[in-house]
Amino acid sequence: MAAEVQTVNNISLVSKEGDSFEVSEDVAQMSELVKSLMEDNDTEEETAEIPLRNVKATVLQKVIEFCQHHGEEPMTEIEKPLRSQKMADVVQEWYANYVDVEQVVLFELILAANYMDIKPLLDLACATVASMIKDKTPEEIRTRFNITNDFSPEEEAKVREENKWCEEA
C-alpha cells in the first residue's frame, strides 16, 4: 500500500530590494494580500513569485519569522483594554520577545503587517505601542516617540481644559 504524498507548494516573497524568500503556502497565506495575489495569479508553476514592493528585506524576514511561529503556536488573543504594560503579561513569551525591538523596527512591522494584511501581527505590534503609552502623560509620550509639541502654552491649557473629563475618567 503506497502512502499518499501531499505536495506543498512554495511561494517566493520578493522584498522591496528584490530579495526572494521562499516560504510554504501556509505561511504565505497568513497574509490576506498574498492570498489574494495567489488567487489572481493561479499558475501551475512550482514556486509562485509575489512582489512586496513596500516591504524591506529585513522587515520581511521578521514578518516571515512571525508567520512561521504563528503556524506552530498561535498567539493568544490580545485582551482590550491591555491589562498590563508588559507584553509578557499579555501574550506568550515568544511573542513578547519578538516585539522587544527598536522602535523604528516596531513601526516598520506595523506598516508591513498593515500592507500585507496580517491581522495577528498588526494586533501584536499595535498592542506593543499601546503598552508603551499606557498610563503615560502627554509629555512622557512626546518624549518616548520624539514628538514635538506644536501647541503654545495658551493653546495647550485650552485643550486640557476642554478635555478635562478625559483625565477624570
Side-chain angles (χ1 to χ4, degrees):
M1 187 158 94
E4 268 189 51
V5 177
Q6 186 177 2
T7 58
V8 176
N9 292 334
N10 283 331
I11 309 298
S12 183
L13 302 178
V14 183
S15 71
K16 179 181 192 172
E17 299 87 349
D19 296 341
S20 290
F21 300 90
E22 202 164 298
V23 297
S24 71
E25 197 170 325
D26 290 342
V27 168
Q29 288 192 351
M30 274 198 67
S31 164
E32 292 298 323
L33 171 70
V34 172
K35 187 189 289 186
S36 69
L37 290 172
M38 286 170 56
E39 290 168 0
D40 293 347
N41 187 24
D42 194 20
T43 64
E44 295 299 318
E45 297 174 33
E46 277 187 36
T47 304
E49 199 169 272
I50 306 288
L52 298 168
R53 291 181 177 78
N54 292 355
V55 185
K56 293 180 189 174
T58 54
V59 177
L60 185 53
Q61 279 182 300
K62 287 279 294 173
V63 170
I64 291 167
E65 178 187 358
F66 174 89
C67 293
Q68 288 171 332
H69 187 82
H70 193 277
E72 297 164 13
E73 179 195 9
M75 184 176 71
T76 56
E77 191 167 331
I78 297 172
E79 292 179 31
K80 297 166 191 90
L82 291 178
R83 63 176 181 251
S84 172
Q85 289 180 336
K86 290 176 53 185
M87 288 308 292
D89 295 338
V90 178
V91 292
Q92 298 101 308
E93 183 180 357
W94 187 92
Y95 292 102
N97 291 334
Y98 175 84
V99 287
D100 187 14
V101 293
E102 291 180 26
Q103 196 169 289
V104 68
V105 174
L106 183 61
F107 286 113
E108 286 177 344
L109 283 171
I110 289 172
L111 292 173
N114 186 50
Y115 171 69
M116 294 177 68
D117 197 359
I118 304 172
K119 188 176 180 339
L121 177 54
L122 185 60
D123 288 349
L124 176 63
C126 288
T128 303
V129 172
S131 74
M132 294 171 161
I133 65 175
K134 186 174 176 61
D135 300 327
K136 301 281 191 290
T137 65
E139 291 76 23
E140 291 170 325
I141 294 168
R142 283 190 201 104
T143 301
R144 172 72 189 214
F145 296 105
N146 198 25
I147 299 170
T148 307
N149 183 1
D150 55 357
F151 283 122
S152 69
E154 297 80 25
E155 290 172 322
E156 187 169 346
K158 182 181 178 200
V159 169
R160 285 185 189 275
E161 186 59 38
E162 289 172 353
N163 296 289
K164 197 174 214 166
W165 60 271
C166 292
E167 294 176 20
E168 294 169 359

